Amino acid sequence: MQTVKGIGVRASLVCCEAGAAGRGFRLVLKPSLSGIHGDTMTENGCEYRDRVLTMDTMNPNVKRVEYAVRGPIVQRAVQIERELKMGIKKPFTEVIKANIGDCHAMGQKPITFFRQVLALCSYPDLLEDSKFPEDAKSRARRILQACGGGSLGAYSTSQGIEMIRQDIARYIEQRDGGITCDPDNIYLSTGASDAIVTMLKLLVSGEGMSRTGVMISIPQYPLYSAALADLGAVQISYYLDEDNCWSLDISELRHALQEAKKHCSPRALCIINPGNPTGQVQSRQCIEDVIRFAAAEKLFLMADEVYQDNVYADGCKFHSFKKVLFEMGLEYSEKVELASFHSTSKCYMGECGFRGGYMEVVNLDPEVKVQLTKLVSVRLCPPVPGQALLDVVVNPPQPDEPSYDTFIKERTDTLATLAEKASMTQEILNQVPGIKCNPVQGAMYTFPRIHLPPKAILEAKEKGQVPDMFYCMKLLEETGICLVPGSGFGQRDGTYHFRMTILPPKEKLKIVLAKIKEFHQHFMEQYS
Amino acid sequence: ASHEILNYMMHTLPLRGKVLTVDTMNANVKKVDYAVRGPIVQRAVQIEKELKEGVKKPFEEVIKANIGDAHAMGQRPITFFRQVMALCTYPQLLDDNKFPEDAKNRARRILQSCGGNSIGAYTTSQGIDCVRHDVANYIQRRDGGIPSDPDNIYLTTGASDGIVTILKLLTAGEGRTRTGVMISIPQYPLYSASIAELGAVQINYYLNEEKCWSLDISELQRSLHAAREHCNPRVLCIINPGNPTGQVQSRQCIEDVIRFAAKENLFLMADEVYQDNVYAEGCEFHSFKKVLFEMGPEYSSKVELASFHSTSKCYMGECGFRGGYMEVINMDPEVKAQLTKLVSVRLCPPAPGQALMDLVVNSPQPGEPSYQTFMKERTAVLSALAEKAKLTEEILNTVPGISCNPVQGAMYSFPRITLPERAINEAKAKGQAPDMFYCMKLLEETGICLVPGSGFGQREGTYHFRMTILPPTDKLKIMLNKLKEFHQKFTQQYS
């Protein structure tokens, strides 16, 4: 290669291979600007080499993946935050990220006991420190004894530390009124998302009409749609009933399944309870009906139960799929294949960053279970701090232990605050003409329906934007409040929603709700 | 007849009725193998249970020399790192005067970068901003000033996560246009496993055992040429320092590989997780990024490169934290947007692992209170590893029938073992790979758990095993002598 200076332009002599026949030299007068990437310069007939990895050559499934919770609106929110930092004037002084179920980011405090145990595990010298209570120390010692070399830094077995799986099994037994749980059916995971994707991956097979179909609610948490797109499986949508508090109709399940059978091989039914984004807590009857349906229609049941402690509404109660399944007797409990998922990210812990989670598999074919164990071994193990955290979650202070009072107080306060905010959110939003909010029975979100004037819908479509994205973008630009448009979760055609978390501190939440009210009224007027 | 029908309905039908069976499950997953935690390890775990139950065996403990898990083998964590982690986990400790100021400063800085000042918050999907900045600075210092853009850094859940993500992006096409991925033989079986799972095509290039596991460009050429007949080669993966082979490639070799990748339109993936584990005289770690840029804009503005690092190896050995990062160079901006989108679905890598990575790239500096202890610990770990690398090579080479290349770097020895014909035949009669047969016998007779070479790939008709150099020196000596004893006995037994 030679760099030639000439005619005031720096040029590069580019050596091109003219096909398989041999080499040819061509002089290309190309301004050599380092830092220009990927421009395909065709001068003098010599093509600059194209990148290997382009939109055309990359994995096509990945292109179909969407994840609205961290999608375009959030990217714009982050940009706005930067602009604010740079001193750009806006109609607001901060961006409120009500797009994601991230409790600590919104000011919720971690549970003291949990962080004490984790600190002791991270730096065992602290076991000598009298500032830490005995119950925290004994749990830390126990966890460390179960770790290779007594260190959180060792790999654990791929299924997760055995002692922790035993503790989780006991926790599940207690929760489910004594129904046996086998620790060998527990797989620790990197958040619940990891285990959900792993199960979906196992289930995906076939081609064309025999391609695996997976049933998921509309609206849904978009991990499901994203994972199905990535895996090239077929998404089978079943609509929750907005007019009946987002409840589940078996007739709707049946209808969705019948239609789906025409073009794929339905194999799995996913249900999120308590629901995300919709917040409904399904009744026991509903859960039984779903189990019966799965049994009759030969569907693998996936129960996403990460919000199991987040139940607020009177008369609502969390019933685990496992418990109901076994209470329905052998005809079902010996047959229905079930995977249930839990996590350290939600409930009262809010420890999203630790990526702690587990799944319990019930009635999994033993040969498939071997494959599952093999599959998770390739990634070695889930993060050990997350595993340790899970252990304390299922093994919290007991009434006779020193940390008990503080623990219960913190737990109760957190859950009570969430319940208050759920109620308040529903009330305030329902005062707004054009916004209709179902009761937030559980979870961490509200998913109100918004009525958009036809003029607004038209303008959105002209801009090539989905109408609720158009609405949410305007809300963001005018108030700094970042929500996720309902289109990111799925909704019935012609309806519009947004998902907002109930996580900001109460006073701030009130202000946020008031601003939304104001914005909506202004928006309605503007586009009437 | 009705009895048979009843039997069928009660027993066969329910079993056959499962939704998820080996027949209906994901076919690619069935093709996945990961020997490092495969059948021999499962047997080792079983033996451990038997020992616990009091079953008598010719040994008292199982030595797990199958996996690069430093702490499990007694290596201590770096004090400073764990102090900062404790401070981040339980910030009340920031008031505790038992912790040095430099640890507290780093903890405060990390916490300030976290949502709600908590490591329990989700981070951005690409990883905490200030950590990515620190990683970029580290790379810049390591590479003699060549700039690193924090926006090209993606924190990951261990290096494995980043590697799988990039392979996923690259996998496309069908049949003859299906993505082909070049990987060394022997290789770390994450690569073969991921390629199988993604349904990509594995393209083997053989390292040269006679020349210390070095890489011949002519072999790369041969392998690529053959592959083009049946797939679309798009990627070239290289592990340096090598796993399982431990070679540290020369600078010349790295330049040649870059030139090859440029010429043949291959995306380069450089697995550099053992970058601090370099022991042999005359060997030096050269990052692919550095060499690429020192080769000038003809290459540095063209070659697409992803480099991977981790908190699991080197002197840290913090496997359980699942900390890692990748740096992407010359990635198409639209593809980069797709990459960012893809990682967002899993929300973020573990925040404790991100914090730990920050400390690795931002360790105590001269003048700081923790500097001396830090350097002492770091040096002790790395020199112990260097000693053990040497010891291993020496002892194994005294065994007739075992031939061990120098362990120039990483954490393993991958010696070649000569197996008597009779042993090979007996293995085959059992349906076992001969080196698996050998390793199983070793396990049952001595409690030492290694991984047979067949789990990593090797030239036909050759046999190896991979053993870590991680057990404490005294235990390692005992282990190596037991191995020597076993090999001699085995050779006699089957001669």
Side-chain angles (χ1 to χ4, degrees):
Chain A
M1 293 295 168
Q2 261 189 307
T3 308
V4 175
K5 273 197 185 130
I7 329 168
V9 170
R10 249 180 134 209
S12 294
L13 217 163
V14 179
C15 175
C16 304
E17 271 188 80
R23 291 162 164 260
F25 288 85
R26 286 212 174 96
L27 176 65
V28 175
L29 285 171
K30 174 184 174 294
S32 55
L33 297 160
S34 64
I36 286 187
H37 304 292
D39 283 5
T40 310
M41 306 287 284
T42 44
E43 292 189 351
N44 298 354
C46 176
E47 272 177 34
Y48 218 73
R49 195 193 67 141
D50 266 338
R51 282 199 166 96
V52 180
L53 185 56
T54 66
M55 290 296 280
D56 294 326
T57 64
M58 72 173 277
N59 186 324
N61 286 348
V62 171
K63 284 192 282 193
R64 289 185 217 117
V65 165
E66 296 299 331
Y67 183 69
V69 174
R70 282 210 151 159
I73 197 164
V74 183
Q75 286 162 6
R76 177 60 190 142
V78 168
Q79 210 179 0
I80 291 177
E81 274 176 324
R82 290 200 182 120
E83 293 172 12
L84 279 170
K85 242 187 187 162
M86 292 191 295
I88 297 179
K89 268 217 129 315
K90 297 209 175 277
F92 48 87
T93 48
E94 69 167 329
V95 169
I96 298 173
K97 298 255 204 41
N99 58 295
I100 187 170
D102 190 346
C103 305
H104 292 195
M106 290 285 111
Q108 183 178 305
K109 296 316 214 188
I111 299 291
T112 304
F113 184 75
F114 294 168
R115 294 304 191 88
Q116 287 176 331
V117 176
L118 286 171
L120 289 161
C121 288
S122 300
Y123 188 51
D125 278 21
L126 292 171
L127 289 164
E128 312 296 312
D129 190 324
S130 56
K131 269 200 283 337
F132 287 86
E134 248 342 283
D135 47 5
K137 290 183 178 182
S138 61
R139 276 168 185 73
R141 282 191 199 100
R142 190 166 168 270
I143 289 167
L144 289 175
Q145 263 157 38
C147 294
S151 166
L152 282 192
Y155 286 122
S156 74
T157 64
S158 303
Q159 209 171 323
I161 293 171
E162 193 172 359
M163 179 201 87
I164 297 178
R165 291 188 287 112
Q166 287 164 354
D167 290 350
I168 290 173
R170 255 195 303 276
Y171 161 83
I172 292 174
E173 281 176 2
Q174 269 160 28
R175 181 198 67 189
D176 292 347
I179 291 162
T180 316
C181 178
D182 183 353
D184 199 47
N185 286 338
I186 307 294
Y187 286 75
L188 302 187
S189 54
T190 307
S193 298
D194 177 26
I196 290 166
V197 170
T198 296
M199 282 316 302
L200 288 174
K201 184 180 289 185
L202 280 177
L203 282 155
V204 175
S205 64
E207 276 177 66
M209 278 216 51
S210 71
R211 191 67 175 168
T212 295
V214 177
M215 300 185 76
I216 181 64
S217 54
I218 294 299
Q220 46 105 36
Y221 172 54
L223 164 70
Y224 290 90
S225 45
L228 294 175
D230 189 353
L231 292 166
V234 180
Q235 179 173 335
I236 304 168
S237 302
Y238 63 87
Y239 288 84
L240 298 177
D241 189 351
E242 183 160 19
D243 296 328
N244 275 312
C245 241
W246 297 115
S247 61
L248 212 165
D249 270 320
I250 297 301
S251 57
E252 167 58 21
L253 281 184
R254 210 165 276 132
H255 167 80
L257 183 68
Q258 282 333 309
E259 284 306 302
K261 277 179 172 162
K262 298 176 184 169
H263 61 90
C264 71
S265 179
R267 271 191 254 261
L269 167 52
C270 301
I271 178 163
I272 309 171
N273 184 54
N276 177 3
T278 43
Q280 85 287 356
V281 178
Q282 299 295 2
S283 69
R284 194 205 160 95
Q285 183 62 53
C286 169
I287 294 172
E288 285 191 21
D289 291 344
V290 170
I291 290 171
R292 237 170 246 121
F293 179 78
E297 301 292 348
K298 293 241 334 247
L299 297 167
F300 191 107
L301 210 37
M302 288 178 56
D304 182 340
E305 299 176 328
V306 303
Y307 296 99
Q308 53 190 265
D309 295 339
N310 301 113
V311 175
Y312 316 125
D314 268 337
C316 285
K317 193 168 164 220
F318 170 71
H319 304 278
S320 79
F321 265 81
K322 164 93 181 293
K323 176 168 190 255
V324 177
L325 175 65
F326 275 71
E327 287 175 351
M328 286 169 72
L330 296 174
E331 176 196 353
Y332 296 97
S333 64
E334 281 189 338
K335 245 181 60 178
V336 175
E337 291 147 79
L338 168 70
S340 309
F341 306 90
H342 196 19
S343 156
T344 60
S345 303
K346 313 297 177 188
C347 295
Y348 64 94
M349 302 82 75
E351 297 281 12
C352 309
F354 277 82
R355 314 316 281 114
Y358 73 75
M359 68 174 165
E360 179 186 16
V361 295
V362 178
N363 293 325
L364 195 68
D365 177 293
E367 283 183 83
V368 173
K369 194 168 181 299
V370 168
Q371 293 289 322
L372 167 61
T373 304
K374 179 189 74 174
L375 182 61
V376 299
S377 79
V378 180
R379 298 297 293 274
L380 288 148
C381 71
V384 178
Q387 298 189 42
L389 179 57
L390 245 181
D391 192 60
V392 254
V393 168
V394 300
N395 212 356
Q398 294 305 297
D400 57 337
E401 292 188 294
S403 305
Y404 180 72
D405 286 345
T406 306
F407 168 74
I408 287 295
K409 182 170 186 301
E410 289 175 353
R411 182 182 194 271
T412 308
D413 282 351
T414 298
L415 289 173
T417 306
L418 285 168
E420 269 186 69
K421 294 192 286 187
S423 209
M424 179 176 90
T425 299
Q426 179 191 330
E427 275 169 31
I428 295 182
L429 288 178
N430 275 325
Q431 293 164 6
V432 185
I435 298 186
K436 182 169 185 315
C437 184
N438 264 326
V440 178
Q441 295 177 338
M444 291 178 174
Y445 316 95
T446 170
F447 195 70
R449 177 140 173 219
I450 48 175
H451 290 276
L452 302 179
K455 268 179 73 182
I457 295 172
L458 216 61
E459 186 169 321
K461 290 185 174 168
E462 275 161 21
K463 283 191 160 164
Q465 259 186 340
V466 177
D468 47 23
M469 174 65 92
F470 175 74
Y471 175 94
C472 291
M473 278 295 200
K474 274 199 173 289
L475 176 71
L476 173 62
E477 301 285 347
E478 289 176 30
T479 67
I481 298 166
C482 180
L483 311 177
V484 190
S487 43
F489 303 86
Q491 56 204 348
R492 281 202 181 277
D493 250 350
T495 67
Y496 308 105
H497 303 76
F498 60 71
R499 186 188 83 165
M500 187 185 92
T501 71
I502 57 168
L503 299 176
K506 235 184 345 180
E507 290 315 307
K508 189 168 266 185
L509 184 61
K510 278 189 192 150
I511 296 172
V512 167
L513 291 165
K515 285 193 173 186
I516 289 176
K517 181 173 183 169
E518 208 182 294
F519 168 85
H520 191 86
Q521 285 166 335
H522 175 77
F523 185 91
M524 295 287 274
E525 282 163 22
Q526 188 185 348
Y527 286 97
S528 62
Chain B
S2 63
H3 161 81
E4 279 161 348
I5 292 168
L6 199 64
N7 224 1
Y8 175 83
M9 283 175 68
M10 291 212 36
H11 300 291
T12 314
L13 206 52
L15 281 177
R16 266 225 318 249
K18 278 205 195 287
V19 180
L20 185 55
T21 67
V22 281
D23 295 323
T24 63
M25 71 174 276
N26 185 322
N28 286 347
V29 171
K30 285 191 282 192
K31 297 187 201 117
V32 166
D33 280 305
Y34 183 68
V36 175
R37 283 210 151 159
I40 196 162
V41 184
Q42 285 160 9
R43 177 60 189 144
V45 169
Q46 211 178 359
I47 291 176
E48 273 177 323
K49 288 194 174 128
E50 292 172 13
L51 279 170
K52 243 187 185 158
E53 288 163 19
V55 177
K56 266 220 132 309
K57 297 211 173 275
F59 48 87
E60 292 166 347
E61 66 166 332
V62 169
I63 300 175
K64 298 257 205 38
N66 58 296
I67 187 169
D69 189 346
H71 291 196
M73 291 283 110
Q75 183 179 304
R76 310 311 289 149
I78 299 292
T79 305
F80 184 75
F81 293 169
R82 294 306 191 88
Q83 287 176 329
V84 179
M85 292 313 301
L87 288 162
C88 287
T89 301
Y90 191 54
Q92 269 93 315
L93 293 170
L94 287 164
D95 296 328
D96 189 326
N97 54 22
K98 268 202 283 338
F99 288 86
E101 246 347 276
D102 47 5
K104 292 183 177 182
N105 287 338
R106 280 169 182 72
R108 283 189 198 102
R109 184 159 174 280
I110 289 166
L111 289 174
Q112 265 157 36
S113 238
C114 294
N117 293 343
S118 165
I119 53 171
Y122 285 123
T123 74
T124 65
S125 302
Q126 209 171 324
I128 296 170
D129 266 12
C130 85
V131 178
R132 290 187 293 111
H133 273 87
D134 292 347
V135 168
N137 285 340
Y138 161 83
I139 292 172
Q140 203 161 307
R141 284 192 314 266
R142 180 197 68 189
D143 293 347
I146 292 162
S148 174
D149 182 351
D151 200 48
N152 286 338
I153 306 294
Y154 286 76
L155 303 187
T156 55
T157 307
S160 298
D161 179 27
I163 290 164
V164 171
T165 297
I166 296 295
L167 287 174
K168 181 183 288 189
L169 280 178
L170 282 155
T171 302
E174 276 176 65
R176 283 205 58 174
T177 67
R178 192 67 174 167
T179 295
V181 179
M182 298 184 74
I183 181 63
S184 53
I185 294 300
Q187 46 105 36
Y188 172 54
L190 165 72
Y191 291 88
S192 47
S194 305
I195 291 166
E197 197 196 303
L198 292 166
V201 180
Q202 181 171 335
I203 303 169
N204 297 330
Y205 64 87
Y206 289 83
L207 298 178
N208 190 337
E209 184 160 20
E210 271 76 58
K211 293 205 176 135
C212 239
W213 299 115
S214 60
L215 212 166
D216 278 323
I217 297 300
S218 57
E219 167 57 18
L220 283 183
Q221 201 71 64
R222 174 212 65 80
S223 145
L224 179 68
H225 192 75
R228 283 202 167 123
E229 309 273 309
H230 62 88
C231 72
N232 189 354
R234 270 191 255 256
V235 203
L236 169 52
C237 300
I238 179 162
I239 309 171
N240 184 54
N243 177 4
T245 43
Q247 85 287 356
V248 178
Q249 299 295 2
S250 69
R251 193 204 160 97
Q252 182 62 55
C253 169
I254 294 172
E255 284 192 22
D256 291 344
V257 169
I258 290 171
R259 234 169 248 121
F260 178 79
K263 175 162 165 281
E264 304 293 349
N265 278 16
L266 298 166
F267 189 109
L268 211 38
M269 286 175 65
D271 182 342
E272 300 177 326
V273 303
Y274 297 100
Q275 54 190 265
D276 296 339
N277 300 112
V278 175
Y279 315 126
E281 290 264 333
C283 285
E284 204 194 318
F285 171 71
H286 304 281
S287 80
F288 266 81
K289 163 92 180 291
K290 176 168 189 253
V291 175
L292 176 65
F293 276 72
E294 287 175 350
M295 286 168 73
E298 177 195 349
Y299 295 97
S300 63
S301 64
K302 248 177 59 177
V303 174
E304 290 147 82
L305 168 71
S307 309
F308 305 90
H309 196 19
S310 157
T311 60
S312 304
K313 313 298 178 187
C314 295
Y315 64 94
M316 301 82 74
E318 298 280 13
C319 309
F321 278 82
R322 314 314 284 116
Y325 74 72
M326 62 179 169
E327 181 184 23
V328 296
I329 298 292
N330 293 325
M331 182 169 271
D332 178 294
E334 284 183 292
V335 173
K336 194 167 179 297
Q338 293 289 319
L339 168 61
T340 304
K341 180 190 73 175
L342 182 61
V343 300
S344 80
V345 180
R346 299 295 293 273
L347 288 147
C348 69
Q354 297 189 43
L356 184 57
M357 184 53 91
D358 191 60
L359 305 173
V360 171
V361 300
N362 201 5
S363 54
Q365 293 303 298
E368 289 192 292
S370 306
Y371 179 69
Q372 295 198 338
T373 306
F374 168 75
M375 283 310 290
K376 184 165 178 291
E377 289 175 352
R378 182 184 193 274
T379 307
V381 168
L382 289 174
S383 57
L385 286 169
E387 265 186 66
K388 294 191 285 187
K390 198 118 206 261
L391 183 73
T392 300
E393 179 196 337
E394 275 171 22
I395 294 183
L396 287 177
N397 275 324
T398 65
V399 186
I402 298 187
S403 169
C404 186
N405 266 326
V407 177
Q408 295 178 338
M411 291 178 174
Y412 316 95
S413 75
F414 195 70
R416 176 139 173 217
I417 49 178
T418 309
L419 302 178
E421 198 72 39
R422 271 184 58 200
I424 295 173
N425 289 339
E426 186 170 321
K428 289 182 176 172
K430 281 188 163 170
Q432 258 185 340
D435 46 23
M436 174 63 94
F437 176 74
Y438 175 95
C439 289
M440 278 296 200
K441 280 207 170 285
L442 176 72
L443 174 62
E444 301 286 346
E445 290 177 28
T446 67
I448 298 168
C449 180
L450 311 178
V451 190
S454 42
F456 303 86
Q458 57 206 345
R459 280 202 181 277
E460 275 271 354
T462 67
Y463 309 104
H464 302 77
F465 61 72
R466 187 188 81 165
M467 187 187 92
T468 69
I469 59 169
L470 298 176
T473 310
D474 289 337
K475 190 169 266 185
L476 184 63
K477 279 186 190 153
I478 294 172
M479 220 181 84
L480 290 165
N481 283 308
K482 282 194 173 184
L483 212 81
K484 179 172 184 167
E485 215 179 284
F486 168 85
H487 190 88
Q488 287 166 334
K489 196 171 133 231
F490 184 92
T491 304
Q492 277 165 22
Q493 187 184 348
Y494 286 96
S495 61

